[in-house]
Amino acid sequence: DAGVIQSPRHEVTEMGQEVTLRCKLISGHNSLFWYRQTMMRGLELLIYFNNNVPIDDSGMPEDRFSAKMPNASFSTLKIQPSEPRDSAVYFCASSPLGTGSMGGYTFGSGTRLTVV
Amino acid sequence: QKEVEQNSGPLSVPEGAIASLNCTYSDRVSQSFFWYRQYSGKSPELIMSIYSNGDKEDGRFTAQLNKASQYVSLLIRDSQPSDSATYLCAVNLDSNYQLIWGAGTKLIIKP
């Protein structure tokens, strides 16, 4: 099992540019989470999907952020236009969907985004 | 506001000693509890999960859960310099798998 795969690992972009982050889930996992981590705010949940359906996007900072899950194994997080305050490490994580709430997450290696 | 509280540290422990990390949570309906370890520049990795009151042991790690007092702790026995990391406590409130995260405790094991 290759784990949760994120790309790119690092992204440096100029303010105003569009940024697309990508995530491939672990096979068989049904829940997908996008997180942002900064020193000041820690881990913040941006959005999560169950079975490709967005369940809660209340953590998405603004309309500049959008996320899609076109199939069961892949998701994108897009920022358009990007701003310097978006600089952070963005993680996606997946978990199995089972009985109760027994699943912990498996995180991808993250994308370190720097907007200059 | 559902919250998970951790002391941010750093917690400094001599090598070979027991490191004790604590976490309190505010919502009594919390069902599942997780400890993640995050090395600097890396992603969080799950090291322990606990669902019932009492202790759960896995190698040098022991998770302790007390639902009445609403706390969960992680003990690391025979601590090693490689245990130096930030430890994140996470609590699952419902079946949607959304975790509520603590801010993490930075642990430093001194050789």
Side-chain angles (χ1 to χ4, degrees):
Chain A
D1 192 340
V4 178
I5 300 172
Q6 289 188 248
S7 64
R9 291 295 303 274
H10 303 274
E11 178 81 25
V12 180
T13 190
E14 292 185 346
M15 183 173 64
Q17 296 298 306
E18 177 179 298
V19 175
T20 299
L21 311 181
R22 296 175 175 79
C23 175
K24 184 178 186 299
L25 284 69
I26 291 175
S27 177
H29 281 195
N30 306 85
S31 296
L32 181 281
F33 307 83
W34 280 103
Y35 280 93
R36 178 171 67 179
Q37 188 176 40
T38 60
M39 289 292 292
M40 290 295 294
R41 301 169 71 94
L43 269 172
E44 300 176 277
L45 178 65
L46 301 177
I47 186 170
Y48 79 98
F49 296 82
N50 279 347
N51 291 321
N52 305 5
V53 177
I55 302 300
D56 184 354
D57 65 355
S58 60
M60 297 286 260
E62 317 170 15
D63 292 345
R64 299 185 296 108
F65 286 69
S66 63
K68 294 182 179 180
M69 197 166 175
N71 58 57
S73 62
F74 183 73
S75 178
T76 59
L77 177 68
K78 185 177 293 186
I79 308 173
Q80 166 64 20
S82 57
E83 297 183 3
R85 59 193 169 119
D86 301 331
S87 297
V89 180
Y90 290 80
F91 290 108
C92 74
S94 69
S95 84
L97 194 67
T99 59
S101 55
M102 308 297 280
Y105 295 176
T106 301
F107 281 82
S109 54
T111 295
R112 182 174 296 275
L113 173 65
T114 303
V115 183
V116 297
Chain B
Q1 180 78 13
K2 300 179 176 69
E3 294 183 344
V4 175
E5 300 287 342
Q6 293 182 259
N7 188 320
S8 62
L11 175 65
S12 184
V13 174
E15 183 176 359
I18 296 175
S20 178
L21 304 163
N22 298 310
C23 171
T24 60
Y25 58 94
S26 61
D27 199 313
R28 289 189 173 275
V29 301
S30 301
Q31 299 181 34
S32 308
F33 307 84
F34 305 91
W35 284 100
Y36 284 78
R37 177 177 62 200
Q38 187 175 25
Y39 292 115
S40 180
K42 302 295 185 182
S43 58
E45 58 176 324
L46 179 65
I47 56 171
M48 288 287 285
S49 58
I50 187 166
Y51 312 108
S52 305
N53 277 328
D55 294 0
K56 178 182 178 183
E57 186 174 319
D58 184 0
R60 295 186 297 111
F61 297 97
T62 299
Q64 300 175 319
L65 175 61
N66 184 322
K67 289 188 177 182
S69 300
Q70 295 177 234
Y71 80 79
V72 56
S73 61
L74 179 69
L75 303 178
I76 307 174
R77 290 182 300 281
D78 187 24
S79 53
Q80 304 295 312
S82 60
D83 296 325
S84 298
T86 296
Y87 289 80
L88 299 164
C89 172
V91 175
N92 186 294
L93 300 178
D94 57 34
S95 60
N96 283 329
Y97 302 97
Q98 182 179 358
L99 296 184
I100 308 300
W101 295 84
T105 298
K106 184 173 183 178
L107 176 66
I108 299 172
I109 305 300
K110 291 187 172 181

